């Protein structure tokens, strides 16, 4: 079975998780947050990757694609017959993109990339107020995450832009306004 996939990218705090949860509610798309899958794997009893994942998350660096892609593919297989998947926060760099293409080509139909763009100062304050007790929502980690986003992840958005696959929605606005524009992409 070929899985429909929409990538959801944007800086930390741009609202990827929030918007994906709303899309999942209103459309038969399943939200797969790569970050959430990694945090779950980090906690999993007997995981051999726990410490490695924790190090990357605290440092705002990016976990090797072999780990993340496997978690994503397992989640897709477990979901059964749905309209598609919102792959939230992935691919985050060239390694992720190449690994995903090598493993998933022929298994997925990439519909488009939803890019939530938002000024970095707003993103940082949102993360600092997120209140989810994450080990990376602090000034030090956020500084590193923004450097990683600018140097490694934004070039991936530019890659998709070259083939006209990017749908940008400005997300510094209130959630309702952002979501009203996002809905048009799924209707
Ligand atoms: N449009 C918005 N306006 C104000 N706050 C928002 C908006 N979208 C998300 N938030 C809040 O900002 C924080 C980060 O949102 P989240 O969805 O976790 O972003 P991301 O997954 O891109 O890091 C959360 O506390 C969320 O409630
Ligand atoms: O495909 C991914 C997704 C996330 N991460 C790591 O998990 C952290 C948090 O990612 P998440 O998407 O949850 O952060 P958000 O953008 O939602 O704040 C990132 O900074 C990375 O360290 C990763 O290595 N690969
Ligand atoms: Mg998120």
């Amino acid at each position: 079975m070929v899985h429909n996939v929409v990538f959801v990218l944007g800086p930390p705090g741009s609202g990827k998780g929030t918007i994906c949860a709303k899309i999942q509610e209103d459309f038969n798309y399943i939200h797969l947050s790569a970050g959430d899958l990694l945090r779950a794997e980090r906690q999993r009893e007997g995981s051999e990757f726990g410490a490695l994942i924790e190090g990357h998350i605290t440092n705002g660096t990016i976990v090797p694609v072999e780990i993340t892609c496997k978690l994503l593919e397992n989640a897709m297989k477990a979901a059964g017959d749905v309209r598609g998947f919102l792959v939230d926060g992935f691919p985050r760099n060239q390694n992720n993109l190449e690994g995903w293409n090598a493993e998933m080509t022929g298994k997925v139909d990439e519909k488009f990339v939803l890019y939530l763009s938002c000024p970095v100062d707003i993103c940082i304050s949102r993360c600092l107020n997120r209140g989810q007790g994450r080990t990376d929502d602090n000034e030090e980690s956020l500084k590193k995450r923004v450097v990683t986003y600018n140097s490694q992840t934004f070039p991936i958005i530019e890659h998709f832009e070259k083939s006209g696959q990017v749908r940008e929605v400005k997300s510094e606005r209130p959630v309702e306004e952002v979501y009203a524009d996002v809905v048009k992409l799924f209707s």
Side-chain angles (χ1 to χ4, degrees):
M1 163 184 7
V2 172
H3 301 299
N4 292 326
V5 163
V6 171
F7 291 123
V8 182
L9 295 175
S14 54
K16 299 184 293 295
T18 302
I19 292 299
C20 285
K22 293 175 74 69
I23 300 168
Q24 175 170 266
E25 230 171 83
D26 297 342
F27 301 90
N28 188 15
Y29 267 83
I30 300 295
H31 175 203
L32 298 180
S33 162
D36 288 350
L37 290 170
L38 287 168
R39 281 184 284 272
E41 177 61 22
R42 173 184 63 186
Q43 311 294 103
R44 188 173 63 78
E45 197 59 34
S47 168
E48 56 186 304
F49 306 117
L52 180 131
I53 291 170
E54 179 49 31
H56 281 293
I57 289 178
T58 309
N59 278 318
T61 49
I62 299 168
V63 170
V65 66
E66 291 73 17
I67 298 171
T68 318
C69 191
K70 195 83 209 116
L71 295 173
L72 285 165
E73 187 171 14
N74 289 348
M76 288 182 194
K77 284 179 182 161
D81 186 19
V82 293
R83 184 173 163 197
F85 295 92
L86 303 164
V87 176
D88 166 5
F90 176 95
R92 257 183 152 88
N93 64 3
Q94 194 58 27
N95 161 270
N96 284 186
L97 184 65
E98 287 167 8
W100 168 271
N101 287 339
E103 183 56 42
M104 302 302 284
T105 298
K107 300 176 186 174
V108 293
D109 177 3
E110 297 169 8
K111 311 307 278 183
F112 59 91
V113 175
L114 172 59
Y115 164 38
L116 297 180
S117 55
C118 187
V120 69
D121 54 327
I122 294 177
C123 287
I124 288 174
S125 68
R126 285 180 185 175
C127 287
L128 291 174
N129 296 307
R130 185 156 34 192
Q132 290 172 3
R134 282 176 41 168
T135 58
D136 59 347
D137 277 347
N138 58 70
E139 295 274 1
E140 194 185 341
S141 294
L142 279 164
K143 267 201 198 84
K144 295 173 182 174
R145 290 165 63 189
V146 169
V147 168
T148 298
Y149 174 78
N150 289 332
S151 61
Q152 296 190 50
T153 306
F154 189 67
I156 298 303
I157 295 171
E158 290 179 316
H159 159 81
F160 284 116
E161 184 62 54
K162 286 196 193 93
S163 50
Q165 287 179 270
V166 172
R167 307 289 179 274
E168 180 180 355
V169 176
K170 294 191 176 309
S171 66
E172 67 267 31
R173 299 172 292 163
V175 179
E176 297 67 32
E177 287 180 34
V178 177
Y179 190 58
D181 283 342
V182 170
V183 163
K184 294 171 194 160
L185 300 170
F186 286 86
S187 305

